[in-house]
Amino acid sequence: MPTSRRDFLKTSVLASSLLFVPKFLHALDAQGVQQLRNSNGKRLVVVQLGGGNDGLNMVVPFRNDLYYKARPTLGLKEQSGLLTLDKDLAFNPHMTQLKGLYDQGLVGVLNSVGYPNPDRSHFRSMDIWQSGSASDQYVTTGWLGRYLDSNCPGCQMPYNGLEVDDTLSLAMKGELRKGLALKNPEKFHQVTQNRFIKQVSGEKAGGSGSELDYLYKTLAETASSADYLYQTSKVYKSAITYPNTDFGKNLKTTAELINSGIESRVFYVSLTGFDTHVRQQEQQGKLLGDLSGGLGAFVEDLQKSGQLNDTLILVFSEFGRRVTQNASNGTDHGTANNVLLLGGGLRQKGILNDAPDLLNLDQGDLKYQLDFRSVYATVLRDWLGADDRAILGSEFSRLPGLV
Amino acid sequence: MTNQQQLQHLYWRAGFGPRPQDIAANPNPRKALRQLLHDSAAVQPLAGPRIEAAEMQAMTPAPMPDLRQDPQAPALKKGELTPEQRKAQNRQIREAFYTMNTGWLERMASSPAQLREKLTFFWHGHFACRVRRPDAALQLNNTIRRLALGKFGDLLLAVSKEPAMLQFLNNQQNRKQHPNENFAREVMELFTIGRGHYSEQDVKEAARAFTGWSYDAQGQFVFRERQHDAGSKTFLGRTGNFGGEDVLRIILEQPQTAEFIATKLYRFFVNDTPNPAHIQPLAQAFFRSGYDISDLVERLFTADWFYDAANVGTRIKSPIELLAGIKRTLGVELQDQKPLIVFQKALGQTLFEPPNVAGWAGGRSWIDSSTLLFRLQLPAVLLKNAEISIALKEDENDLDPQQTRADRTFRQQVQAKAKLAPLGVLLAKTPEAQQPTVLSQFLLQAPIRPENLRLVAQVAQQAPADGRLRTMVTSLLSLPEYQLM
């Protein structure tokens, strides 16, 4: 073949994105494109706050005496710059951009989201949130992976579910289909251009369905996805200034992929470091500043390109912290927590349910008033148009009219 | 199938892969199996990071109540430590686990007791347990190693009395007044008979029987009589004043337990897809033998179907099998052991850190775009000092979730040495043109694709003469075929 696939792609960068599809995937993609037409065009961006973010100091119940009683030095006072919302709640002073989005009607705040018999171990609770299981179930696939499995329109290729990171989370692993993790399209592409890998990845999988075929199929899809992502992502370079943090960079990559027209239904990004046992205010404040600044730029980016109405952002953490502060001016592992929803497609905005009940605790921890799987069910069915029951394994009541 | 292919299959399944000298000796597989059983007869406990553990205890005011009351906490309640103490403690815990992890991996690669280590690894995934106390984790590991080839009943009882397991499954919270069913449930669902063979009522009754099973600050099992529910229970159709031992005994009286364990062993040692025609007779013999594990694996490794083409080169290596296998086959030694931990985490399997009590899912779940690319790059990293850069996730650093991304990023050349001389001996009489073929037959369990053989030969031709062997080996190990065993 005189002109390589790569040359072909390079010269046609400004053409419609359909042309960027590597040749040998054309057959697959003709079908894929039809299915994309059938899809509703909506996408989900999940933001994972790792380490157990303290919801009570993110969405602060600043008119509740019990809050200050439990947190004599850690409690955030109104005069410290709290950003007042509704229902006697306020954002942490570091969340200025998120407050701006809130005022624009782009944010929904859910309080006390959790699950029965909460597990206070980081890895186990994250496992539960990512798999979407009950606390006494062990599920080896993720809720978004099972969404990819569910024959959703436009879910045939690994890049239809993208995680901006070096490794792939359980959340994005299905039984039959798995998402794709990449830090940035260029770096990912570079790895597949290694001479040996490039050569081998060009080989076709056999049709026997053996483990070896599975390996070759995964490799071929990885390489063609890397090509597609690398070439297509050049279409749009963001002009928005993002915070110069890892999280900011990852959101910028996400926005560039979305605005370039990458047909991914699901994106996954993480911000870590929320395990604030000591000197919490400083550490959490910095992280919430990163979160707010990053999401502020991200939303602005999508707003400008007109993609925000089709984008829903879901922010969660594996658990909240204990209500009472500890002796090191920090908090220990707790239970129920806030979930934030952002996007132009939100039909209900503001504080969406009751503030946390600080009087009625379970051994010092918040009782959950909303199962996280209800949030998932709502997103899956009402936003992505998927079969939430099949994906989550049981029926969870959805939040009516939310998205 | 040639004798060599059969031998390699046996060494991959009953151990962590063949070494060139194992193949050069060319015994018949039955003789090789006898040798494996013989070499695995003695029990050599894995040495622990005693110094670190002792230091950790010295930092802890006696007694240590947290081990009983707060299973998730480290040796000290986090709030009671200064930030510096906390950091130091986290570092010591992490270092202790690193030492245990790489010590075990090294043993997988070099111990003559291959079968015992392989079974210890199997039971490590079966009795999956993840605790923050390195001493407790090591004690459980050595208990499993000691009983790995004995009677399953002895192993089950011993594991059920291990502080690490009792802690992990919350049995210290299982008291007469407030039963906690977690331990009883997992013992049945995951360790013995499997779902569908007991009722919710059986779980409740078994939990009552396990009340009072606990441990002391020295890490010894203790039966706390005052917390035990001594009343009458009805479990799996039997009624009596049962204790925990009785429950385990009754579980073992169910043939379903033998079938459950035999199936799991079959899936690990033979084929991910269970074949009932193979498993039924195995399970029956297992039951008749009083759950003799040695007897079961001997039957399995001598069955004619064990060497069927459908079972050779058709199982995706777990990350540990991949790493230990490269180390064993090529005698790879790393100057610094830490990268081995990074590789495990990046590939999705870290010793002593199973994802949950159900263990690692295995099979195709090991492979996604990033893990597959990482697997294909790994041989060049180990054999050609190729550079690799990868940032691990926070949840893969559970022991110290405060690490910054820079701290979680691995970006360096690995200083590693491989012993390629024994391979050279294996190839001594092979003309150069035939060497890629002969080498592929030794290194790959799945038949190599013709286009890949051409590719390897081509790459070898371009390499300088003194680097040809290394280049061929690296290329063969970088193939999808090498991911299979």
Side-chain angles (χ1 to χ4, degrees), chain A residues 25-194:
Chain A
L25 287 170
H26 264 161
L28 237 184
D29 270 70
Q31 189 188 5
V33 165
Q34 184 54 42
Q35 283 185 304
L36 278 175
R37 279 195 208 111
N38 298 338
S39 84
N40 59 14
K42 304 269 195 277
R43 69 182 71 85
L44 173 70
V45 179
V46 176
V47 175
Q48 173 179 303
L49 308 181
N53 175 39
D54 180 16
L56 284 174
N57 273 21
M58 174 168 80
V59 182
V60 183
F62 70 103
R63 289 198 203 279
N64 194 331
D65 291 343
L66 292 169
Y67 167 73
Y68 293 104
K69 219 168 139 186
R71 301 180 164 199
T73 56
L74 194 62
L76 295 167
K77 311 242 165 23
E78 207 175 343
Q79 54 270 35
S80 69
L82 283 180
L83 306 162
T84 314
L85 310 171
D86 306 291
K87 297 190 185 172
D88 295 341
L89 295 170
F91 273 154
N92 184 292
H94 290 86
M95 297 166 70
T96 47
Q97 290 92 335
L98 276 169
K99 165 70 165 135
L101 300 178
Y102 184 92
D103 291 340
Q104 287 181 56
L106 296 172
V107 179
V109 177
L110 288 167
N111 295 299
S112 311
V113 185
Y115 53 89
N117 303 312
D119 198 305
R120 290 162 184 80
S121 144
H122 290 294
F123 75 86
R124 179 62 192 139
S125 194
M126 193 57 96
D127 205 41
I128 290 165
W129 275 84
Q130 291 203 6
S131 63
S133 75
S135 66
D136 61 350
Q137 281 178 322
Y138 303 96
V139 176
T140 55
T141 53
W143 73 287
L144 298 170
R146 293 195 301 276
Y147 165 69
L148 298 176
D149 274 349
S150 73
N151 246 336
C152 48
C155 291
Q156 280 64 38
M157 293 298 289
Y159 62 76
N160 294 134
L162 280 182
E163 177 159 5
V164 184
D165 208 334
D166 277 344
T167 56
L168 192 69
S169 293
L170 170 67
M172 302 284 276
K173 294 181 189 172
E175 189 74 42
L176 305 168
R177 291 187 184 137
K178 297 177 179 73
L180 185 146
L182 86 173
K183 190 70 187 133
N184 69 60
E186 212 173 325
K187 188 184 154 194
F188 191 69
H189 183 248
Q190 210 183 330
V191 173
T192 60
Q193 292 306 297
N194 162 300

Side-chain angles (χ1 to χ4, degrees), chain B residues 143-165:
Chain B
T143 293
I144 287 176
R145 179 170 286 100
R146 179 166 56 85
L147 298 165
L149 281 159
K151 293 282 174 84
F152 176 70
D154 297 340
L155 176 63
L156 175 67
L157 180 63
V159 165
S160 301
K161 288 186 167 182
E162 275 295 324
M165 194 58 88

Side-chain angles (χ1 to χ4, degrees), chain B residues 302-315:
Chain B
T302 50
D304 47 3
W305 43 254
F306 177 67
Y307 294 103
D308 280 355
N311 297 326
V312 179
T314 52
R315 207 175 147 264

